[in-house]
Amino acid sequence: MRGLQWIAVAIAILPMAGCASFPEPEKVWTRDFNAYAIPVWTVDGMYLVTGRAGALFLTPPPMDLSRYRGVVLEEIQIRTKRRSRKLKPAEEERLEAFFTRHLADAFERNGWAIVDAPAEDVLRARLVVRDIDLGRLRRSHPGTIVFGASSDQIMIALELRDGVARERRALYGDRRELPFGSYTGTDAVSIRRVEDAFYYFCIDMRRRLKQAQQGEFPPPPPRPS
């Protein structure tokens, strides 16, 4: 598993999840995953499952994702980096519509209809997309405008909770590469880069959640006391 995936989960999911426990950053940067006991547990009892795309945490069996028939999308958080300019209302509206459309497509392909209200067989979904870095305009000399460089990665995390009990069933997060690496250019292209990264995130997310629905991940060993 790529080391940056751990950073994605620790930073992007923690503000959403509250009290999850993740590996120490200094160990993450060494990428020496042999140092960890598998599985890795969160403090609220979720465990990390194996896989090459992103970091997926599940509630231990007998949790059964296949019993859910639908998803209600409760919240989408879109956050820029601290030194980035803020999203314009039209940009935020465009991204939210793009995220909603592609999440709906991913869920429906996995047999989960998009519904308007939670129920016993409905999951509550929340999404965080953060570390968007938009170049800020500056004038180097009269008549010349220069775009500041934007970053080459964003962090994305999806949380699924039971519709009635509100207990977490799955967390999936990853740090996604943006096209063109670090980029200097127009606002329109910067927004399109974020959309492209999210598109591929949804492909991996759908595949890994499908594996969970089909029970492909073995149950974890007993959680250490």
Side-chain angles (χ1 to χ4, degrees):
M1 179 179 291
R2 291 170 297 166
L4 289 178
Q5 292 171 355
W6 292 89
I7 299 296
V9 175
I11 297 177
I13 290 181
L14 272 175
M16 175 191 294
C19 57
S21 176
F22 296 94
E24 298 88 339
E26 61 271 17
K27 289 188 178 180
V28 171
W29 286 115
T30 67
R31 304 189 182 186
D32 178 14
F33 297 108
N34 293 324
Y36 301 114
I38 299 298
V40 175
W41 293 87
T42 66
V43 295
D44 63 344
M46 304 186 78
Y47 68 103
L48 177 71
V49 299
T50 58
R52 295 184 179 180
L56 176 62
F57 287 82
L58 298 174
T59 300
M63 184 274 294
D64 181 11
L65 284 180
S66 67
R67 75 177 183 85
Y68 294 98
R69 66 170 179 84
V71 178
V72 56
L73 185 57
E74 290 195 320
E75 182 181 8
I76 295 178
Q77 298 180 19
I78 306 174
R79 305 175 187 173
T80 56
K81 279 190 171 181
R82 180 177 299 177
R83 295 184 179 180
S84 169
R85 72 163 176 82
K86 299 300 182 182
L87 284 164
K88 300 173 184 176
E91 293 171 333
E92 187 165 2
E93 182 178 349
R94 169 179 167 172
L95 286 176
E96 185 169 333
F98 186 92
F99 298 160
T100 300
R101 184 168 66 253
H102 284 275
L103 280 178
D105 179 69
F107 292 145
E108 289 170 351
R109 285 173 179 265
N110 280 11
W112 291 334
I114 302 302
V115 299
D116 295 326
E120 289 185 356
D121 56 355
V122 170
L123 290 162
R124 300 172 183 262
R126 292 196 297 167
L127 177 75
V128 173
V129 180
R130 60 179 298 170
D131 274 12
I132 297 174
D133 190 6
L134 300 172
R136 288 186 282 185
L137 296 177
R138 67 179 188 273
R139 296 182 182 275
S140 58
H141 54 78
T144 300
I145 297 178
V146 179
F147 287 89
S150 57
S151 64
D152 60 351
Q153 295 176 335
I154 58 174
M155 291 180 290
I156 310 173
L158 177 72
E159 177 191 75
L160 297 177
R161 290 181 178 264
D162 182 84
V164 175
R166 294 180 177 267
E167 296 171 346
R168 289 194 297 172
R169 295 293 183 248
L171 291 171
Y172 178 71
D174 199 4
R175 184 188 288 268
R176 305 301 295 197
E177 300 286 341
L178 302 181
F180 316 130
S182 292
Y183 168 78
T184 301
T186 65
D187 291 343
V189 174
S190 293
I191 297 299
R192 179 60 183 271
R193 296 169 75 219
V194 174
E195 293 174 340
D196 286 347
F198 188 80
Y199 171 81
Y200 289 106
F201 169 87
C202 283
I203 292 175
D204 289 333
M205 176 270 292
R206 180 174 67 85
R207 178 176 58 82
R208 301 214 65 197
L209 288 180
K210 188 67 174 181
Q211 290 177 297
Q213 286 175 281
Q214 295 173 341
E216 295 185 16
F217 299 111
R223 183 181 180 184
S225 57

Coordinates of all heavy atoms in Angstrom, one line a residue, residues 51-121:
G51 N -5.5 -4.0 0.1 CA -5.8 -3.5 -1.3 C -4.8 -2.5 -1.8 O -4.2 -1.8 -1.0
R52 N -4.8 -2.4 -3.1 CA -3.8 -1.5 -3.7 C -4.3 -0.1 -3.9 O -3.5 0.8 -4.2 CB -3.3 -2.1 -5.0 CG -2.5 -3.4 -4.8 CD -2.0 -3.9 -6.2 NE -1.3 -5.1 -6.0 CZ -0.7 -5.8 -7.0 NH1 -0.8 -5.3 -8.3 NH2 0.0 -6.9 -6.8
A53 N -5.6 0.1 -3.9 CA -6.2 1.4 -4.3 C -6.8 2.0 -3.0 O -7.8 1.6 -2.6 CB -7.2 1.3 -5.4
G54 N -6.2 3.1 -2.5 CA -6.8 3.8 -1.4 C -6.7 3.0 -0.1 O -6.2 1.9 -0.1
A55 N -7.3 3.6 1.0 CA -7.3 2.9 2.3 C -8.8 2.7 2.6 O -9.6 3.7 2.7 CB -6.6 3.7 3.3
L56 N -9.2 1.5 2.8 CA -10.6 1.1 3.1 C -10.7 0.5 4.5 O -10.0 -0.5 4.8 CB -11.1 0.1 2.1 CG -12.6 -0.4 2.3 CD1 -13.6 0.7 2.3 CD2 -12.9 -1.5 1.3
F57 N -11.5 1.2 5.4 CA -11.8 0.7 6.7 C -13.2 0.2 6.7 O -14.1 0.8 6.2 CB -11.6 1.8 7.7 CG -10.2 2.1 8.0 CD1 -9.5 3.0 7.2 CD2 -9.5 1.6 9.1 CE1 -8.2 3.4 7.4 CE2 -8.2 2.0 9.4 CZ -7.5 2.9 8.5
L58 N -13.4 -1.0 7.4 CA -14.7 -1.6 7.5 C -15.1 -1.9 9.0 O -14.1 -2.1 9.8 CB -14.8 -2.9 6.7 CG -14.6 -2.8 5.2 CD1 -14.6 -4.2 4.6 CD2 -15.7 -2.0 4.5
T59 N -16.3 -2.0 9.2 CA -16.8 -2.5 10.5 C -16.7 -4.0 10.5 O -17.0 -4.6 9.5 CB -18.3 -2.1 10.8 OG1 -18.4 -0.7 10.8 CG2 -18.7 -2.6 12.1
P60 N -16.2 -4.6 11.6 CA -16.0 -6.1 11.5 C -17.3 -6.9 11.3 O -18.4 -6.4 11.6 CB -15.4 -6.4 13.0 CG -14.9 -5.1 13.4 CD -15.7 -4.0 12.8
P61 N -17.1 -8.1 10.7 CA -18.3 -9.0 10.5 C -19.0 -9.2 11.9 O -18.3 -9.1 12.9 CB -17.7 -10.3 10.0 CG -16.4 -9.8 9.4 CD -15.9 -8.7 10.2
P62 N -20.3 -9.4 12.0 CA -21.2 -9.7 10.9 C -21.8 -8.6 10.1 O -22.9 -8.7 9.5 CB -22.3 -10.5 11.6 CG -22.4 -9.9 12.9 CD -21.0 -9.5 13.3
M63 N -21.2 -7.4 10.1 CA -21.6 -6.3 9.3 C -21.8 -6.7 7.8 O -20.9 -7.4 7.3 CB -20.7 -5.1 9.4 CG -21.1 -3.9 8.6 SD -20.7 -3.8 6.9 CE -18.9 -3.7 6.9
D64 N -22.9 -6.4 7.2 CA -23.2 -6.9 5.8 C -23.6 -5.7 4.9 O -24.7 -5.2 5.0 CB -24.3 -8.0 5.9 CG -24.6 -8.5 4.5 OD1 -23.8 -8.2 3.6 OD2 -25.6 -9.2 4.4
L65 N -22.7 -5.2 4.1 CA -23.1 -4.1 3.2 C -24.1 -4.5 2.2 O -24.8 -3.7 1.6 CB -21.8 -3.6 2.5 CG -20.8 -2.7 3.3 CD1 -19.7 -2.3 2.5 CD2 -21.6 -1.5 3.9
S66 N -24.2 -5.8 1.9 CA -25.1 -6.2 0.8 C -26.6 -6.1 1.2 O -27.5 -6.1 0.4 CB -24.8 -7.7 0.5 OG -25.2 -8.6 1.5
R67 N -26.9 -5.9 2.5 CA -28.2 -5.7 2.9 C -28.8 -4.3 2.6 O -30.0 -4.1 2.8 CB -28.4 -6.0 4.4 CG -27.9 -5.0 5.4 CD -28.1 -5.4 6.8 NE -27.7 -4.4 7.7 CZ -28.5 -3.3 8.1 NH1 -29.7 -3.2 7.6 NH2 -28.1 -2.5 9.0
Y68 N -27.9 -3.4 2.3 CA -28.4 -2.0 2.0 C -28.9 -1.9 0.6 O -28.2 -2.4 -0.3 CB -27.3 -1.0 2.3 CG -26.9 -1.0 3.8 CD1 -25.8 -1.7 4.3 CD2 -27.7 -0.2 4.7 CE1 -25.5 -1.6 5.6 CE2 -27.4 -0.2 6.0 CZ -26.3 -0.9 6.5 OH -26.0 -0.8 7.8
R69 N -30.0 -1.2 0.4 CA -30.5 -1.0 -1.0 C -30.3 0.4 -1.5 O -30.5 0.6 -2.7 CB -32.0 -1.3 -0.9 CG -32.8 -0.2 -0.1 CD -34.3 -0.4 -0.3 NE -35.0 0.6 0.5 CZ -35.2 1.9 0.1 NH1 -34.8 2.3 -1.1 NH2 -35.9 2.7 0.9
G70 N -29.9 1.3 -0.7 CA -29.8 2.7 -1.2 C -28.9 3.5 -0.3 O -28.4 3.1 0.7
V71 N -28.6 4.7 -0.8 CA -27.7 5.7 -0.2 C -28.3 7.1 -0.2 O -28.9 7.5 -1.3 CB -26.3 5.8 -0.9 CG1 -25.4 6.8 -0.2 CG2 -25.6 4.4 -0.9
V72 N -28.3 7.8 0.9 CA -28.7 9.2 0.9 C -27.4 10.0 1.1 O -26.6 9.8 2.0 CB -29.7 9.5 2.0 CG1 -29.2 9.1 3.4 CG2 -30.1 11.0 2.0
L73 N -27.2 10.9 0.1 CA -26.0 11.8 0.2 C -26.2 13.0 1.1 O -27.0 13.9 0.7 CB -25.6 12.2 -1.2 CG -24.3 13.0 -1.3 CD1 -23.1 12.2 -0.8 CD2 -24.0 13.3 -2.8
E74 N -25.7 12.9 2.3 CA -26.0 14.0 3.3 C -25.1 15.2 3.2 O -25.6 16.3 3.5 CB -25.9 13.4 4.7 CG -27.0 12.4 5.0 CD -27.0 12.1 6.5 OE1 -26.0 12.0 7.2 OE2 -28.1 11.9 7.0
E75 N -23.9 15.1 2.9 CA -23.0 16.2 3.0 C -21.8 16.1 2.0 O -21.3 15.0 1.9 CB -22.5 16.4 4.4 CG -21.6 17.6 4.6 CD -21.1 17.7 6.1 OE1 -21.3 16.7 6.8 OE2 -20.5 18.7 6.4
I76 N -21.4 17.2 1.4 CA -20.2 17.3 0.6 C -19.4 18.5 1.1 O -19.9 19.6 1.1 CB -20.5 17.4 -0.9 CG1 -21.2 16.1 -1.5 CG2 -19.2 17.7 -1.7 CD1 -21.5 16.2 -2.9
Q77 N -18.2 18.2 1.6 CA -17.3 19.3 2.0 C -16.2 19.5 1.0 O -15.6 18.5 0.6 CB -16.7 19.0 3.4 CG -17.7 18.8 4.5 CD -17.1 18.5 5.8 OE1 -15.9 18.7 6.0 NE2 -17.8 18.0 6.8
I78 N -16.0 20.7 0.5 CA -15.0 21.0 -0.4 C -14.1 22.1 0.2 O -14.6 23.2 0.5 CB -15.5 21.5 -1.8 CG1 -16.6 20.5 -2.3 CG2 -14.4 21.7 -2.8 CD1 -17.3 21.0 -3.6
R79 N -12.8 21.8 0.4 CA -11.9 22.7 1.1 C -10.7 22.9 0.3 O -10.0 22.0 -0.3 CB -11.5 22.0 2.4 CG -12.7 21.6 3.3 CD -12.2 20.9 4.6 NE -13.3 20.4 5.3 CZ -13.1 19.6 6.4 NH1 -11.9 19.3 6.8 NH2 -14.2 19.1 7.1
T80 N -10.3 24.2 0.3 CA -9.0 24.6 -0.4 C -7.9 24.6 0.7 O -8.1 24.6 1.9 CB -9.1 26.0 -1.0 OG1 -9.6 26.9 0.0 CG2 -10.2 25.9 -2.2
K81 N -6.7 24.6 0.2 CA -5.5 24.8 1.1 C -5.5 26.1 1.7 O -6.1 27.1 1.2 CB -4.2 24.5 0.3 CG -3.9 23.1 0.1 CD -2.4 23.0 -0.5 CE -2.0 21.5 -0.5 NZ -0.6 21.4 -1.0
R82 N -4.8 26.2 2.8 CA -4.8 27.5 3.6 C -4.3 28.7 2.7 O -4.9 29.8 2.8 CB -3.9 27.3 4.8 CG -3.9 28.6 5.7 CD -3.0 28.4 6.9 NE -3.6 27.3 7.7 CZ -3.0 26.9 8.9 NH1 -1.9 27.4 9.3 NH2 -3.6 25.9 9.5
R83 N -3.3 28.5 1.9 CA -2.8 29.6 1.1 C -3.4 29.7 -0.2 O -3.0 30.6 -1.0 CB -1.2 29.4 1.0 CG -0.5 29.5 2.4 CD 1.0 29.4 2.2 NE 1.7 29.5 3.4 CZ 3.0 29.4 3.6 NH1 3.8 29.3 2.5 NH2 3.6 29.5 4.8
S84 N -4.3 28.9 -0.6 CA -5.0 28.9 -1.8 C -6.0 30.0 -1.8 O -6.6 30.4 -0.7 CB -5.6 27.6 -2.2 OG -6.5 27.7 -3.3
R85 N -6.4 30.6 -2.9 CA -7.6 31.4 -3.0 C -8.8 30.6 -2.7 O -8.8 29.4 -3.0 CB -7.7 32.2 -4.3 CG -8.1 31.3 -5.5 CD -8.5 32.2 -6.6 NE -8.8 31.4 -7.8 CZ -10.0 30.8 -8.0 NH1 -10.9 30.8 -7.1 NH2 -10.1 30.1 -9.2
K86 N -9.9 31.2 -2.3 CA -11.1 30.5 -2.1 C -11.8 30.2 -3.4 O -11.6 30.8 -4.4 CB -12.1 31.3 -1.2 CG -11.5 31.6 0.2 CD -11.2 30.3 1.0 CE -10.6 30.6 2.3 NZ -10.3 29.4 3.1
L87 N -12.6 29.1 -3.4 CA -13.4 28.8 -4.5 C -14.5 29.9 -4.8 O -15.1 30.3 -3.8 CB -14.1 27.4 -4.4 CG -13.2 26.2 -4.5 CD1 -14.0 25.0 -3.9 CD2 -12.9 25.9 -6.0
K88 N -14.7 30.2 -6.0 CA -15.8 31.1 -6.3 C -17.1 30.3 -6.2 O -17.1 29.1 -6.4 CB -15.6 31.6 -7.8 CG -14.4 32.4 -8.0 CD -14.2 32.8 -9.5 CE -12.9 33.5 -9.7 NZ -12.6 33.7 -11.2
P89 N -18.2 30.9 -5.9 CA -19.5 30.2 -5.8 C -19.8 29.3 -7.0 O -20.2 28.2 -6.9 CB -20.5 31.3 -5.6 CG -19.7 32.4 -5.0 CD -18.4 32.4 -5.6
A90 N -19.5 29.8 -8.2 CA -19.8 29.1 -9.4 C -18.9 27.8 -9.5 O -19.3 26.8 -9.9 CB -19.6 29.9 -10.6
E91 N -17.6 28.0 -9.1 CA -16.7 26.8 -9.1 C -17.1 25.8 -8.1 O -17.1 24.6 -8.4 CB -15.3 27.3 -8.7 CG -14.7 28.2 -9.8 CD -13.4 28.8 -9.4 OE1 -13.2 29.0 -8.2 OE2 -12.6 29.1 -10.3
E92 N -17.5 26.2 -6.9 CA -17.9 25.3 -5.8 C -19.2 24.5 -6.3 O -19.4 23.3 -6.1 CB -18.2 26.0 -4.5 CG -18.5 25.0 -3.4 CD -18.3 25.7 -2.0 OE1 -18.1 26.9 -2.0 OE2 -18.5 25.0 -1.0
E93 N -20.1 25.3 -6.9 CA -21.4 24.7 -7.4 C -21.1 23.6 -8.5 O -21.7 22.6 -8.5 CB -22.3 25.8 -7.9 CG -23.6 25.2 -8.4 CD -24.6 26.4 -8.9 OE1 -24.2 27.5 -8.6 OE2 -25.6 26.0 -9.5
R94 N -20.1 24.0 -9.4 CA -19.8 23.0 -10.4 C -19.2 21.8 -9.8 O -19.5 20.6 -10.3 CB -18.8 23.7 -11.4 CG -18.1 22.7 -12.4 CD -17.2 23.4 -13.3 NE -16.4 22.5 -14.0 CZ -15.5 22.8 -15.0 NH1 -15.5 24.1 -15.4 NH2 -14.8 21.9 -15.6
L95 N -18.2 21.9 -8.9 CA -17.6 20.7 -8.3 C -18.6 19.9 -7.5 O -18.6 18.7 -7.6 CB -16.4 21.2 -7.4 CG -15.2 21.7 -8.1 CD1 -14.2 22.1 -7.1 CD2 -14.6 20.6 -9.0
E96 N -19.4 20.5 -6.8 CA -20.4 19.8 -6.0 C -21.3 19.0 -6.9 O -21.7 17.8 -6.6 CB -21.2 20.7 -5.1 CG -22.2 19.9 -4.2 CD -22.8 20.8 -3.1 OE1 -22.2 21.8 -2.8 OE2 -23.9 20.5 -2.7
A97 N -21.8 19.6 -8.0 CA -22.6 18.9 -9.0 C -21.9 17.7 -9.6 O -22.4 16.6 -9.8 CB -23.1 19.8 -10.1
F98 N -20.6 17.9 -9.9 CA -19.8 16.8 -10.5 C -19.6 15.7 -9.5 O -19.8 14.5 -9.9 CB -18.4 17.4 -10.9 CG -17.5 16.4 -11.7 CD1 -17.6 16.4 -13.1 CD2 -16.7 15.6 -11.0 CE1 -16.8 15.5 -13.8 CE2 -15.9 14.7 -11.7 CZ -15.9 14.6 -13.1
F99 N -19.3 16.0 -8.3 CA -19.1 15.0 -7.3 C -20.4 14.2 -7.1 O -20.4 13.0 -7.0 CB -18.6 15.6 -6.0 CG -17.3 16.3 -6.0 CD1 -17.0 17.2 -5.0 CD2 -16.4 16.0 -7.0 CE1 -15.7 17.9 -5.1 CE2 -15.2 16.7 -7.1 CZ -14.9 17.6 -6.1
T100 N -21.5 14.9 -7.0 CA -22.8 14.3 -6.7 C -23.1 13.3 -7.9 O -23.6 12.2 -7.6 CB -23.9 15.3 -6.6 OG1 -23.6 16.2 -5.5 CG2 -25.2 14.7 -6.4
R101 N -22.9 13.8 -9.1 CA -23.3 13.0 -10.2 C -22.5 11.7 -10.3 O -23.0 10.6 -10.6 CB -23.1 13.8 -11.5 CG -23.5 13.1 -12.8 CD -23.5 14.1 -14.0 NE -22.2 14.6 -14.3 CZ -21.9 15.9 -14.1 NH1 -22.7 16.7 -13.4 NH2 -20.7 16.3 -14.4
H102 N -21.2 11.8 -10.0 CA -20.3 10.6 -10.2 C -20.4 9.7 -9.0 O -20.3 8.5 -9.1 CB -18.9 11.0 -10.4 CG -18.6 11.5 -11.8 ND1 -18.4 10.6 -12.8 CD2 -18.7 12.7 -12.4 CE1 -18.2 11.3 -14.0 NE2 -18.4 12.6 -13.7
L103 N -20.7 10.2 -7.8 CA -21.0 9.4 -6.6 C -22.3 8.6 -6.9 O -22.4 7.4 -6.6 CB -21.2 10.2 -5.4 CG -19.9 10.6 -4.7 CD1 -20.3 11.5 -3.4 CD2 -19.0 9.5 -4.2
A104 N -23.3 9.3 -7.4 CA -24.6 8.6 -7.7 C -24.4 7.5 -8.7 O -24.9 6.4 -8.5 CB -25.6 9.6 -8.2
D105 N -23.6 7.7 -9.7 CA -23.3 6.7 -10.7 C -22.6 5.5 -10.1 O -22.9 4.3 -10.4 CB -22.5 7.3 -11.9 CG -22.2 6.2 -12.9 OD1 -23.1 5.8 -13.7 OD2 -21.0 5.9 -13.0
A106 N -21.6 5.8 -9.3 CA -20.8 4.7 -8.6 C -21.7 3.8 -7.7 O -21.7 2.6 -7.7 CB -19.7 5.3 -7.8
F107 N -22.6 4.5 -6.9 CA -23.5 3.8 -6.0 C -24.5 2.9 -6.8 O -24.7 1.8 -6.5 CB -24.2 4.7 -5.1 CG -23.3 5.4 -4.1 CD1 -23.5 6.7 -3.7 CD2 -22.2 4.7 -3.5 CE1 -22.7 7.4 -2.8 CE2 -21.4 5.4 -2.6 CZ -21.7 6.7 -2.2
E108 N -25.0 3.5 -7.8 CA -26.1 2.8 -8.6 C -25.5 1.6 -9.3 O -26.1 0.6 -9.5 CB -26.7 3.8 -9.6 CG -27.6 4.8 -8.9 CD -28.1 5.9 -9.8 OE1 -27.6 6.0 -10.9 OE2 -29.0 6.7 -9.3
R109 N -24.2 1.7 -9.8 CA -23.6 0.6 -10.4 C -23.4 -0.6 -9.4 O -23.2 -1.7 -9.8 CB -22.2 1.0 -11.0 CG -22.4 1.8 -12.3 CD -21.0 2.3 -12.7 NE -21.1 3.1 -14.0 CZ -20.9 2.6 -15.2 NH1 -20.6 1.3 -15.3 NH2 -21.0 3.4 -16.3
N110 N -23.3 -0.2 -8.1 CA -23.1 -1.3 -7.1 C -24.5 -1.7 -6.5 O -24.5 -2.4 -5.5 CB -22.2 -0.7 -6.0 CG -20.8 -0.8 -6.3 OD1 -20.4 -1.1 -7.5 ND2 -19.9 -0.6 -5.4
G111 N -25.6 -1.3 -7.2 CA -26.9 -1.7 -6.7 C -27.5 -0.9 -5.6 O -28.5 -1.3 -5.0
W112 N -27.0 0.3 -5.4 CA -27.5 1.2 -4.3 C -28.2 2.3 -5.0 O -27.5 3.2 -5.6 CB -26.4 1.7 -3.4 CG -25.8 0.6 -2.5 CD1 -26.4 -0.5 -2.1 CD2 -24.5 0.7 -1.9 NE1 -25.6 -1.2 -1.3 CE2 -24.4 -0.5 -1.2 CE3 -23.5 1.6 -2.0 CZ2 -23.3 -0.8 -0.4 CZ3 -22.3 1.3 -1.2 CH2 -22.2 0.1 -0.5
A113 N -29.5 2.4 -4.9 CA -30.2 3.6 -5.4 C -30.0 4.8 -4.6 O -29.7 4.7 -3.4 CB -31.7 3.3 -5.4
I114 N -30.0 6.0 -5.2 CA -29.9 7.2 -4.5 C -31.3 7.6 -4.0 O -32.3 7.7 -4.8 CB -29.4 8.3 -5.4 CG1 -28.0 7.9 -6.0 CG2 -29.3 9.7 -4.7 CD1 -27.0 7.6 -4.9
V115 N -31.5 7.8 -2.7 CA -32.8 8.0 -2.1 C -32.7 9.4 -1.3 O -31.7 10.0 -1.1 CB -33.2 6.9 -1.2 CG1 -33.3 5.6 -2.0 CG2 -32.2 6.7 0.0
D116 N -33.9 9.8 -0.9 CA -34.0 11.1 -0.3 C -34.0 11.1 1.2 O -33.7 12.1 1.8 CB -35.3 11.8 -0.7 CG -35.4 12.1 -2.2 OD1 -34.3 12.4 -2.8 OD2 -36.5 12.0 -2.8
A117 N -34.2 9.9 1.8 CA -34.2 9.9 3.3 C -33.6 8.6 3.8 O -33.7 7.6 3.1 CB -35.7 10.0 3.8
P118 N -33.0 8.6 5.0 CA -32.4 7.4 5.6 C -33.5 6.4 6.0 O -34.6 6.8 6.3 CB -31.6 7.9 6.8 CG -32.2 9.2 7.1 CD -32.8 9.8 5.8
A119 N -33.1 5.2 6.1 CA -33.9 4.1 6.5 C -33.1 2.9 7.0 O -31.8 3.0 6.9 CB -34.9 3.6 5.4
E120 N -33.7 1.8 7.4 CA -32.9 0.7 8.0 C -32.0 0.1 6.9 O -30.9 -0.4 7.2 CB -33.8 -0.3 8.5 CG -34.5 0.1 9.8 CD -35.4 -1.1 10.4 OE1 -35.4 -2.1 9.7 OE2 -35.9 -0.9 11.5
D121 N -32.4 0.1 5.6 CA -31.6 -0.4 4.6 C -31.0 0.6 3.7 O -30.7 0.4 2.5 CB -32.5 -1.4 3.7 CG -33.7 -0.7 3.2 OD1 -34.0 0.4 3.5 OD2 -34.4 -1.4 2.4

